[in-house]
Amino acid sequence: MSAAAETVSDAQVETPLTIIDLLAIAPASFGGVAVRGLPGPGRDLILDRLAAAMDTPVRVPIGASEDRLLGGLDIATTLQAQRPVYQSGLLEMAHNRLLVLSMAERLSGHFVALVCQAMDAQQLTIEREGRSAIVPCSPIVVALDESLEPDECLAPALADRLAFTLDANLRYLPTSDWAPAELDAARERFASLEITDDTLTTINAAAMSLGIFSLRAAIQTAAAARALAARRASDEVANEDIMLACQLVLAHRVRQLPPCPEADVEPEQPAPEDDAPRDDHQDEGDGVATRLHDQVVEAVTAVLPEHLLKSLADGGLGGGHKGRSPSGKAPQPDRGRPVGVRPVNRLGSQKLNVLATVKAAAPWQRLRASANGRLRVLPEDFRVTRYKPRTRMTTVFVVDASGSSAARRLAEVKGAVELLLAECYVTRARVAVVAFRGDHAEVLLEPTRSLTRARRRLADLPGGGATPLADAIDVTRDLCEQLRRASEKAQVIFLTDGHGNVGRDGVPGHPDATEHALSAAWEYQVLDVPSIVIDTSRRPRDRARRIADALGARYLPLPYADAGALAGAVGGDQSGARS
């Protein structure tokens, strides 16, 4: 070993090697890895070791088009053969192989959506340019993150699907000494190993205490624990495997520090005696789960860098993309975003898309055989670029933080709003939050793209007090009118149990508070804004449905929903928000 290698700590070498081994054992369970850092020897070392452990990578160049990603018509071969000849895209070529995304932090939302869809479905559905096919597609994504600014990062949808993160600042990384037979044996052990439901619940609880609300993170952690046990040729998953798996999968996702235990705790009062027998085994099991939870949290926080710990202690992390162009200037209006091509009979003032026109004409050349062998293009082959107007969308969350909802559902609402905020961020939409409690409602978060800013404001959202539902509807109506005057679209999601007890005059306990809320809702309905009312009460009643009908909104009762169910329901019904 060289002198330079001797200066590298064991942890700096062991962590990348461990992650590479886990990816080789069960690549489909982890999605891939994000490699943070600029191009250099360290990043090349990681890529070389990944390629040696798995397969030759498929590289996606910067600025790759949708045709290059999904495949399409091979124009030269098609013209020569006078029949449609298709070439495979990079995604199809990356089945069970590494898919290296260059400058992944700058990928468009549409590009990220295509990659994530292939990762989730494990197949690729192709319906384009006369080709209809379903091909297997299980890429192991290596996202090269070259972020320089604090507010640059990978798209949340992509980052959530990658189990691991590696720092490219390496100077030495030995080659793996795994023999093919050993790797096959580890894969067989991984398939037979199981992890208990109680352990999975403990992992999920520890993740939530660290501000990680994605269920995918807990599933990936459990898979990593199984792979670690298989790596050391063990037939069962030990607590050490679970803690190391949490360090590898959860540490780079931490968004908050766990709450500190109270210094002064009242002595526990003895339980009243009764004749019911006590289950000592259950008490012992609860104690073991609690100790494992604490060990997992301590293991994750122990590997966090000092600057990250300080940032978390100060109230949160930075992140997210800028709302401006790289030059720092606001984007200038243009014709819109290209979203494909369309046929036209007459060009007029529109500009011909030459490549798409040639693709449309190429399959018909045998039937249009010309004497001079030239390409024959007919008017029905003309194609022009189709643009989507750049109309900005703002999603407004109206959150009931009153006493009727705070005690039971406010934590779930916050988690759901964060998940929905992440989805809005991927689509480059803006979000706003209106919170109401006490005697008034307020715009807690002005329309913004900053996911970090939204998280901080939600973390400060207090609960308790009366329910000024009428004022919340009025404030939301005013905000939607402001957006409309700015030529922006809006969609509104109300999260409330529909029980208002504050009148429009701000007087708590007003006898006509419900009528005031209905009156405000009818005035709101005139705006014709797509809306959803999510009934967050434990036992849905007609009061929330009446508010939804008056608002002209879709009514969605979710009495037993958690954060993920709320986010999934809203995310799946955004397009049909209007009843």
Side-chain angles (χ1 to χ4, degrees):
M1 185 181 299
S2 65
E6 294 177 355
T7 62
V8 182
S9 66
D10 293 339
Q12 286 179 295
V13 174
E14 181 62 27
T15 297
L17 287 180
T18 302
I19 289 176
I20 292 171
D21 287 346
L22 298 188
L23 286 171
I25 293 172
S29 299
F30 303 119
V33 57
V35 181
R36 293 178 178 173
L38 297 176
R43 198 172 80 174
D44 292 341
L45 278 173
I46 293 175
L47 294 178
D48 290 344
R49 299 300 181 266
L50 284 169
M54 305 182 72
D55 201 348
T56 305
V58 175
R59 291 181 176 268
V60 179
I62 302 171
S65 64
E66 183 176 343
D67 287 345
R68 190 72 184 95
L69 189 66
L70 300 179
L73 201 64
D74 188 333
I75 297 178
T77 308
T78 297
L79 293 177
Q80 184 177 4
Q82 295 189 354
R83 62 180 178 83
V85 178
Y86 299 94
Q87 60 182 357
S88 300
L90 295 175
L91 272 178
E92 184 177 350
M93 295 166 58
H95 177 54
N96 290 335
R97 296 170 63 185
L98 296 172
L99 182 70
V100 182
L101 304 178
S102 301
M103 300 185 72
E105 78 281 359
R106 299 191 182 184
L107 294 178
S108 66
H110 179 62
F111 198 101
V112 169
L114 293 174
V115 175
C116 293
Q117 183 180 13
M119 296 173 68
D120 293 342
Q122 301 292 296
Q123 66 182 21
L124 192 62
T125 302
I126 303 175
E127 298 281 352
R128 59 199 317 269
E129 297 180 352
R131 184 190 183 193
S132 178
I134 298 178
V135 297
C137 180
S138 301
I140 301 96
V141 175
V142 180
L144 304 181
D145 184 0
E146 301 180 11
S147 303
L148 294 177
E149 300 296 331
D151 55 355
E152 290 181 339
C153 64
L154 296 180
L158 179 60
D160 187 42
R161 286 165 172 80
L162 304 180
F164 308 114
T165 295
L166 284 176
D167 188 352
N169 186 23
L170 290 175
R171 289 176 292 173
Y172 170 73
L173 194 61
T175 57
S176 177
D177 55 357
W178 278 58
E182 293 176 330
L183 181 58
D184 292 339
R187 289 172 175 170
E188 292 179 1
R189 284 192 297 270
F190 174 82
S192 62
L193 282 169
E194 295 183 355
I195 195 166
T196 64
D197 292 341
D198 291 341
T199 302
L200 185 58
T201 301
T202 300
I203 293 174
N204 192 44
M208 294 185 66
S209 67
L210 295 169
I212 306 170
F213 301 103
S214 170
L215 184 59
R216 188 178 284 112
I219 295 174
Q220 291 171 345
T221 303
R226 293 166 53 209
L228 286 168
R231 180 176 182 251
R232 59 183 181 85
S234 174
D235 294 331
E236 62 179 10
V237 178
N239 286 352
E240 292 75 11
D241 299 322
I242 296 172
M243 287 186 287
L244 180 55
C246 289
Q247 290 179 339
L248 297 176
V249 178
L250 301 182
H252 62 276
R253 306 174 190 243
V254 174
R255 289 296 177 268
Q256 69 182 29
L257 292 178
C260 298
E262 296 294 336
D264 299 326
V265 180
E266 295 183 1
E268 184 178 355
Q269 298 296 330
E273 297 182 359
D274 53 23
D275 296 333
R278 294 187 58 184
D279 190 348
D280 295 335
H281 294 287
Q282 181 178 358
D283 294 342
E284 182 180 354
D286 294 340
V288 171
T290 302
R291 288 195 298 273
L292 180 58
H293 173 278
D294 296 340
Q295 291 172 354
V296 166
V297 173
E298 290 178 4
V300 174
T301 54
V303 297
L304 295 178
E306 184 176 350
H307 71 278
L308 184 56
L309 285 171
K310 184 178 184 303
S311 178
L312 291 170
D314 290 341
L317 293 173
H321 292 272
K322 295 180 180 180
R324 294 178 175 267
S325 63
S327 63
K329 298 179 180 179
Q332 298 298 320
D334 52 19
R335 295 183 60 186
R337 177 171 57 88
V339 290
V341 296
R342 62 184 179 88
V344 293
N345 293 326
R346 294 181 180 180
L347 289 177
S349 59
Q350 297 172 310
K351 185 177 180 180
L352 182 70
N353 188 318
V354 178
L355 181 59
T357 300
V358 172
K359 283 185 176 182
W364 307 99
Q365 293 310 299
R366 178 174 292 182
L367 299 177
R368 302 176 186 175
S370 59
N372 53 14
R374 294 181 178 178
L375 178 68
R376 293 192 61 186
V377 178
L378 302 181
E380 56 262 30
D381 302 323
F382 291 166
R383 299 291 188 273
V384 297
T385 303
R386 184 164 54 93
Y387 293 92
K388 182 178 181 180
R390 296 183 184 273
T391 303
R392 191 157 51 183
M393 171 66 75
T394 299
T395 301
V396 182
F397 298 98
V398 186
V399 181
D400 185 351
S402 65
S404 59
S405 292
R408 296 188 302 265
R409 307 302 299 273
L410 191 54
E412 297 168 2
V413 168
K414 288 181 180 180
V417 170
E418 284 201 16
L419 292 175
L420 294 168
L421 287 171
E423 293 299 323
C424 293
Y425 179 79
V426 171
T427 59
R428 309 305 294 165
R430 299 201 305 171
V431 294
V433 177
V434 175
F436 58 101
R437 61 182 291 269
D439 59 356
H440 71 286
E442 62 175 331
V443 180
L444 188 72
L445 179 68
E446 296 287 345
T448 180
R449 281 184 180 176
S450 174
L451 182 58
T452 301
R453 181 184 171 198
R455 281 173 172 164
R456 288 177 179 174
R457 298 306 300 270
L458 282 174
D460 297 335
L461 177 60
T467 310
L469 182 57
D471 190 47
I473 298 174
D474 289 337
V475 171
T476 304
R477 186 189 71 243
D478 294 341
L479 180 58
C480 292
E481 288 179 342
Q482 294 176 13
L483 294 172
R484 176 167 295 182
R485 287 194 294 268
S487 301
E488 297 183 23
K489 293 183 178 180
Q491 55 187 8
V492 181
I493 301 169
F494 292 87
L495 299 112
T496 178
D497 58 5
H499 177 61
N501 53 19
V502 178
R504 286 180 116 173
D505 53 4
V507 177
H510 199 291
D512 296 327
T514 300
E515 296 302 323
H516 287 188
L518 290 172
S519 177
W522 290 323
E523 295 176 13
Y524 169 91
Q525 186 176 164
V526 177
L527 294 178
D528 195 28
V529 177
S531 307
I532 301 176
V533 172
I534 297 182
D535 189 348
T536 58
S537 58
R538 288 297 185 190
R539 296 180 180 179
R541 300 175 182 175
D542 289 339
R543 60 193 183 193
R545 185 184 293 275
R546 290 179 61 196
I547 294 294
D549 292 340
L551 291 168
R554 177 173 182 178
Y555 173 71
L556 189 62
L558 290 177
Y560 303 108
D562 56 8
L566 286 172
V570 175
D573 293 305
Q574 290 278 6
S575 59
R578 291 290 295 166
S579 57

